């Protein structure tokens, strides 16, 4: 039996893991148990860790192959699988991926790719006292509890996930965001994704949404598309389906991108610094 404990942290999903030191070697039984717990709970909070970048990568690879973030200035030198996420500025520029102080963008990592991310692992090194929390939405339970009429209405519908649309929306509130270059636009074409997807392991259906990356629902006029997306987002992000994680130094949070979505809350970068490192399992 794996030598750690898991305790549910919200009404529909999420668990806090205790008694686990991820800097130490992990046996196969513990790995299998963690994978099962991630599928069961969809979000795992593992506090009190002391991870070097090599540890972070090693643990992440237990869940699958890792992505290398395409913007090299945001990855850790010598560890390209590790993405820096931060609101800390040096010489007038953020040292990592930075979405502005006020922006909240519900999303699933890599929904703009044909093959989306399986899981993400975010590790906290500098934690703000105020703001910069991460909100997770249980899009699986949210789908389960839709009305039958709404389930019938969205069955088979597809939405356009557009990096061009996302960046255009981000530019409205984040002056540090840069428009996509012609080359970046060519590498990230719009892609259609189902509004409802089935988990590849459990078969459970969940909503696949995104508050800024979805430009339209295929086949609906703009007004109907916007109204339906607003209705689904309001439902999926209701308090019942949301876990709010306030970061402490040493927290590692692992989430299943195939069954959830997430966003960050506002954070005043002039008063509260934030530094995290993320790996992305494909």
């Amino acid at each position: 039996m794996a030598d750690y404990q898991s305790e549910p942290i919200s009404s529909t999903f999420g668990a806090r893991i205790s008694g686990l030191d991820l800097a130490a070697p992990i046996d196969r039984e513990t790995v299998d148990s963690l994978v099962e717990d991630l599928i069961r709970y969809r979000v795992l909070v593992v506090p009190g860790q002391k991870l070097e970048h090599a540890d972070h990568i090693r643990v992440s690879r237990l869940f699958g192959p890792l992505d290398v973030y395409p913007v090299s200035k945001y990855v850790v030198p010598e560890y390209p699988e590790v993405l820096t996420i931060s609101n800390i500025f040096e010489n007038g520029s953020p040292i990592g991926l930075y979405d502005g102080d006020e922006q909240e963008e519900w999303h699933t990592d890599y929904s703009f790719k044909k093959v989306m991310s399986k899981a993400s692992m975010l590790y906290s090194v500098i934690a703000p006292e105020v703001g910069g929390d991460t909100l997770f939405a249980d899009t699986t339970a949210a789908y389960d509890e839709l009305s039958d009429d709404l389930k019938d209405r969205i069955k088979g519908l597809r939405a356009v996930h557009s990096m061009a649309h996302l960046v255009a929306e981000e530019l409205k509130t984040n002056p540090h965001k840069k428009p996509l270059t012609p080359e970046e636009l060519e590498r990230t074409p719009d892609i259609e994704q189902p509004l409802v997807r089935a988990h590849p392991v459990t078969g459970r259906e969940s909503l696949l949404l995104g508050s800024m990356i979805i430009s339209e629902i295929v086949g609906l006029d703009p007004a109907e598309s916007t109204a339906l997306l607003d209705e689904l987002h309001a439902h999926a992000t209701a308090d019942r389906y949301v876990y709010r994680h306030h970061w402490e130094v040493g927290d590692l949070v692992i989430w299943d991108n195939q069954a959830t979505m997430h966003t960050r809350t506002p954070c005043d970068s002039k008063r509260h610094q934030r530094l995290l490192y993320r790996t992305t399992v494909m």
Side-chain angles (χ1 to χ4, degrees):
M1 183 176 180
D3 190 22
Y4 67 84
Q5 297 77 47
S6 56
E7 179 184 0
I9 52 177
S10 75
S11 62
T12 68
F13 76 135
R16 180 177 296 272
I17 304 297
S18 58
L20 187 59
D21 177 8
L22 293 173
I26 305 173
D27 60 40
R28 186 73 248 174
E29 188 177 24
T30 300
V31 172
D32 292 343
S33 183
L34 278 173
V35 171
E36 290 175 4
D37 278 345
L38 180 60
I39 292 169
R40 175 185 177 187
Y41 291 111
R42 301 186 276 290
V43 174
L44 301 179
V45 176
V46 193
Q49 301 302 302
K50 295 181 179 180
L51 302 180
E52 302 292 338
H53 294 310
D55 297 320
H56 193 172
I57 291 171
R58 172 181 51 80
V59 172
S60 301
R61 283 183 174 151
L62 300 175
F63 292 81
L66 302 186
D67 176 72
V68 174
Y69 196 74
V71 183
S72 59
K73 67 179 179 178
Y74 294 146
V75 303
V76 176
E78 300 182 12
Y79 296 97
E81 301 93 342
V82 180
L83 169 67
T84 304
I85 296 176
S86 183
N87 65 358
I88 299 171
F89 281 69
E90 290 181 357
N91 301 318
S93 298
I95 64 172
L97 189 64
Y98 168 68
D99 291 325
D101 283 7
E102 299 299 322
Q103 179 181 301
E104 291 189 57
E105 183 223 340
W106 285 103
H107 64 284
T108 291
D109 290 340
Y110 291 6
S111 72
F112 59 91
K113 291 188 174 186
K114 184 175 181 180
V115 178
M116 288 180 280
S117 166
K118 177 181 177 181
S120 297
M121 296 191 177
L122 193 57
Y123 177 62
S124 174
V125 176
I126 297 176
E129 291 183 11
V130 178
D133 297 344
T134 300
L135 306 180
F136 294 94
D138 185 354
T139 53
T140 304
Y143 174 79
D144 287 345
E145 297 179 5
L146 285 175
S147 68
D148 289 341
D149 287 345
L150 193 47
K151 285 181 179 178
D152 289 341
R153 183 182 173 195
I154 65 178
K155 183 178 181 180
L157 289 181
R158 299 178 70 81
V160 176
H161 289 241
S162 169
M163 281 294 289
H165 184 266
L166 170 64
V167 171
E169 292 296 304
E170 289 178 324
L171 285 167
K172 295 177 182 178
T173 58
N174 183 3
H176 300 282
K177 197 72 180 181
K178 304 294 183 185
L180 293 178
T181 66
E183 293 77 17
E184 289 170 334
L185 284 169
E186 187 175 351
R187 290 200 305 271
T188 56
D190 292 357
I191 187 169
E192 292 182 13
Q193 303 282 16
L195 273 180
V196 180
R197 56 178 170 171
H199 195 282
V201 177
T202 67
R204 291 187 66 183
E205 292 180 305
S206 66
L207 294 167
L208 177 54
L209 301 171
S211 61
M212 295 173 73
I213 198 167
I214 294 178
S215 60
E216 63 177 334
I217 297 175
V218 179
L220 301 187
D221 66 54
E224 186 180 5
S225 175
T226 298
L228 180 54
L229 287 171
D230 287 349
E231 181 179 3
L232 292 172
H233 271 286
H235 172 77
T237 58
D239 289 346
R240 168 171 170 73
Y241 307 118
V242 173
Y243 163 66
R244 182 180 189 125
H245 185 73
H246 179 70
W247 291 94
E248 302 286 347
V249 172
D251 284 352
L252 177 71
V253 178
I254 310 168
W255 65 91
D256 186 344
N257 277 308
Q258 302 167 117
T260 64
M261 65 177 175
H262 59 280
T263 188
R264 182 219 61 191
T265 67
C267 185
D268 185 346
S269 59
K270 293 182 175 60
R271 300 176 59 198
H272 302 287
Q273 291 188 333
R274 187 174 190 263
L275 175 62
L276 307 103
Y277 294 108
R278 191 189 80 190
T279 55
T280 306
V281 182
M282 302 303 291

Short mmCIF file of all heavy atoms in Angstrom, two decimals, residues 9 35 46 54 66 81-82 107 133 137 139 148 152 181-182 192 196 203 213 217 228 244 250 252 261:
data_model
loop_
_atom_site.label_atom_id
_atom_site.label_comp_id
_atom_site.label_asym_id
_atom_site.label_seq_id
_atom_site.Cartn_x
_atom_site.Cartn_y
_atom_site.Cartn_z
N ILE A 9 -10.87 17.72 -0.35
CA ILE A 9 -10.78 19.12 0.03
C ILE A 9 -11.96 19.95 -0.46
O ILE A 9 -12.05 21.14 -0.15
CB ILE A 9 -9.47 19.77 -0.47
CG1 ILE A 9 -9.27 19.53 -1.96
CG2 ILE A 9 -8.28 19.28 0.33
CD1 ILE A 9 -8.03 20.20 -2.54
N VAL A 35 -1.27 8.10 -9.57
CA VAL A 35 -1.97 8.19 -10.85
C VAL A 35 -3.46 7.90 -10.66
O VAL A 35 -4.33 8.60 -11.19
CB VAL A 35 -1.35 7.22 -11.88
CG1 VAL A 35 -2.21 7.13 -13.14
CG2 VAL A 35 0.07 7.66 -12.24
N VAL A 46 -0.17 18.78 -2.91
CA VAL A 46 0.90 18.10 -2.17
C VAL A 46 1.76 19.18 -1.51
O VAL A 46 2.68 19.72 -2.14
CB VAL A 46 1.75 17.21 -3.10
CG1 VAL A 46 2.64 16.29 -2.27
CG2 VAL A 46 0.88 16.40 -4.05
N ALA A 54 15.27 19.23 -11.30
CA ALA A 54 15.42 17.83 -11.71
C ALA A 54 14.39 16.94 -11.02
O ALA A 54 13.85 16.00 -11.63
CB ALA A 54 16.83 17.34 -11.42
N LEU A 66 6.76 14.82 -21.24
CA LEU A 66 6.61 16.24 -20.95
C LEU A 66 6.73 17.11 -22.20
O LEU A 66 7.46 16.79 -23.14
CB LEU A 66 7.66 16.69 -19.93
CG LEU A 66 7.65 15.96 -18.59
CD1 LEU A 66 8.65 16.61 -17.64
CD2 LEU A 66 6.26 15.95 -17.97
N GLU A 81 11.87 21.67 -19.99
CA GLU A 81 10.53 21.16 -19.65
C GLU A 81 9.87 21.98 -18.55
O GLU A 81 8.68 21.81 -18.29
CB GLU A 81 10.61 19.70 -19.19
CG GLU A 81 11.21 18.74 -20.20
CD GLU A 81 12.71 18.57 -20.00
OE1 GLU A 81 13.33 19.43 -19.32
OE2 GLU A 81 13.26 17.58 -20.51
N VAL A 82 10.64 22.85 -17.88
CA VAL A 82 10.12 23.62 -16.75
C VAL A 82 9.84 25.06 -17.19
O VAL A 82 10.75 25.78 -17.61
CB VAL A 82 11.12 23.61 -15.57
CG1 VAL A 82 10.56 24.43 -14.41
CG2 VAL A 82 11.41 22.19 -15.13
N HIS A 107 -9.36 28.29 -18.31
CA HIS A 107 -8.86 27.56 -19.47
C HIS A 107 -8.44 26.14 -19.07
O HIS A 107 -8.27 25.84 -17.89
CB HIS A 107 -7.67 28.28 -20.11
CG HIS A 107 -6.47 28.37 -19.22
ND1 HIS A 107 -6.39 29.25 -18.16
CD2 HIS A 107 -5.30 27.67 -19.21
CE1 HIS A 107 -5.23 29.11 -17.55
NE2 HIS A 107 -4.55 28.14 -18.16
N ASP A 133 -4.15 33.47 -6.16
CA ASP A 133 -4.63 32.12 -5.91
C ASP A 133 -4.94 31.44 -7.25
O ASP A 133 -5.12 32.12 -8.27
CB ASP A 133 -5.90 32.15 -5.07
CG ASP A 133 -5.68 32.74 -3.68
OD1 ASP A 133 -4.51 32.85 -3.25
OD2 ASP A 133 -6.68 33.10 -3.03
N ALA A 137 -11.93 24.45 -11.49
CA ALA A 137 -13.34 24.14 -11.68
C ALA A 137 -13.49 22.68 -12.08
O ALA A 137 -12.79 22.18 -12.96
CB ALA A 137 -13.95 25.04 -12.75
N THR A 139 -15.17 20.53 -14.04
CA THR A 139 -16.04 20.51 -15.22
C THR A 139 -16.70 19.15 -15.43
O THR A 139 -17.62 19.04 -16.24
CB THR A 139 -15.24 20.91 -16.47
OG1 THR A 139 -14.07 20.09 -16.58
CG2 THR A 139 -14.82 22.37 -16.40
N ASP A 148 -31.09 17.88 -18.33
CA ASP A 148 -31.14 16.99 -19.50
C ASP A 148 -31.36 17.79 -20.78
O ASP A 148 -30.80 17.46 -21.83
CB ASP A 148 -32.27 15.96 -19.33
CG ASP A 148 -31.95 14.92 -18.26
OD1 ASP A 148 -30.75 14.77 -17.92
OD2 ASP A 148 -32.88 14.28 -17.76
N ASP A 152 -28.81 17.77 -23.97
CA ASP A 152 -29.26 17.47 -25.33
C ASP A 152 -28.89 18.60 -26.29
O ASP A 152 -28.52 18.35 -27.45
CB ASP A 152 -30.77 17.24 -25.36
CG ASP A 152 -31.19 15.94 -24.70
OD1 ASP A 152 -30.32 15.05 -24.54
OD2 ASP A 152 -32.37 15.82 -24.32
N THR A 181 3.11 36.81 -33.77
CA THR A 181 3.80 37.06 -35.04
C THR A 181 3.16 36.20 -36.13
O THR A 181 2.44 35.23 -35.83
CB THR A 181 5.28 36.70 -34.94
OG1 THR A 181 5.40 35.28 -34.73
CG2 THR A 181 5.95 37.44 -33.78
N PRO A 182 3.39 36.52 -37.40
CA PRO A 182 2.86 35.65 -38.48
C PRO A 182 3.30 34.20 -38.32
O PRO A 182 2.51 33.28 -38.57
CB PRO A 182 3.43 36.29 -39.75
CG PRO A 182 3.60 37.74 -39.39
CD PRO A 182 4.02 37.74 -37.94
N GLU A 192 -11.05 23.16 -33.83
CA GLU A 192 -12.36 22.85 -33.27
C GLU A 192 -12.20 21.75 -32.21
O GLU A 192 -11.51 20.76 -32.43
CB GLU A 192 -13.33 22.38 -34.35
CG GLU A 192 -13.73 23.46 -35.33
CD GLU A 192 -14.74 22.95 -36.36
OE1 GLU A 192 -15.29 21.84 -36.15
OE2 GLU A 192 -14.95 23.65 -37.36
N VAL A 196 -18.29 18.91 -25.19
CA VAL A 196 -18.35 17.84 -24.21
C VAL A 196 -17.36 16.76 -24.61
O VAL A 196 -17.39 16.28 -25.75
CB VAL A 196 -19.77 17.22 -24.12
CG1 VAL A 196 -19.80 16.11 -23.08
CG2 VAL A 196 -20.80 18.30 -23.77
N GLY A 203 -13.96 7.49 -18.93
CA GLY A 203 -15.11 7.59 -19.81
C GLY A 203 -16.11 8.64 -19.37
O GLY A 203 -17.08 8.92 -20.10
N ILE A 213 -10.39 31.90 -24.85
CA ILE A 213 -9.79 31.27 -26.03
C ILE A 213 -10.83 30.82 -27.05
O ILE A 213 -10.52 30.64 -28.22
CB ILE A 213 -8.90 30.08 -25.63
CG1 ILE A 213 -7.94 29.72 -26.78
CG2 ILE A 213 -9.74 28.86 -25.20
CD1 ILE A 213 -6.83 28.78 -26.39
N ILE A 217 -19.02 29.03 -31.21
CA ILE A 217 -19.51 27.67 -31.33
C ILE A 217 -19.91 27.45 -32.78
O ILE A 217 -20.66 28.25 -33.36
CB ILE A 217 -20.71 27.40 -30.40
CG1 ILE A 217 -20.27 27.55 -28.93
CG2 ILE A 217 -21.28 26.02 -30.63
CD1 ILE A 217 -21.42 27.42 -27.94
N LEU A 228 -24.86 30.99 -25.08
CA LEU A 228 -24.69 29.61 -24.63
C LEU A 228 -23.39 29.45 -23.88
O LEU A 228 -23.35 28.80 -22.81
CB LEU A 228 -24.75 28.66 -25.82
CG LEU A 228 -24.58 27.16 -25.51
CD1 LEU A 228 -25.57 26.70 -24.45
CD2 LEU A 228 -24.72 26.34 -26.79
N ARG A 244 -10.57 26.77 -4.45
CA ARG A 244 -9.63 27.91 -4.48
C ARG A 244 -8.37 27.52 -3.70
O ARG A 244 -8.43 27.22 -2.52
CB ARG A 244 -10.28 29.14 -3.85
CG ARG A 244 -9.37 30.38 -3.90
CD ARG A 244 -10.07 31.57 -3.27
NE ARG A 244 -9.33 32.81 -3.48
CZ ARG A 244 -9.84 33.91 -4.04
NH1 ARG A 244 -11.10 33.92 -4.41
NH2 ARG A 244 -9.10 34.98 -4.20
N GLY A 250 6.43 25.76 -1.34
CA GLY A 250 6.58 24.31 -1.25
C GLY A 250 5.36 23.51 -1.68
O GLY A 250 5.40 22.28 -1.72
N LEU A 252 2.99 21.77 -4.20
CA LEU A 252 2.92 21.23 -5.56
C LEU A 252 1.47 20.85 -5.81
O LEU A 252 0.89 20.10 -5.03
CB LEU A 252 3.82 20.00 -5.73
CG LEU A 252 3.75 19.33 -7.11
CD1 LEU A 252 4.41 20.20 -8.17
CD2 LEU A 252 4.39 17.94 -7.08
N MET A 261 -10.86 22.77 -15.44
CA MET A 261 -10.24 23.98 -15.98
C MET A 261 -9.81 24.84 -14.79
O MET A 261 -10.20 24.56 -13.65
CB MET A 261 -11.15 24.73 -16.94
CG MET A 261 -12.40 25.30 -16.36
SD MET A 261 -13.33 26.23 -17.64
CE MET A 261 -14.80 26.65 -16.71
#
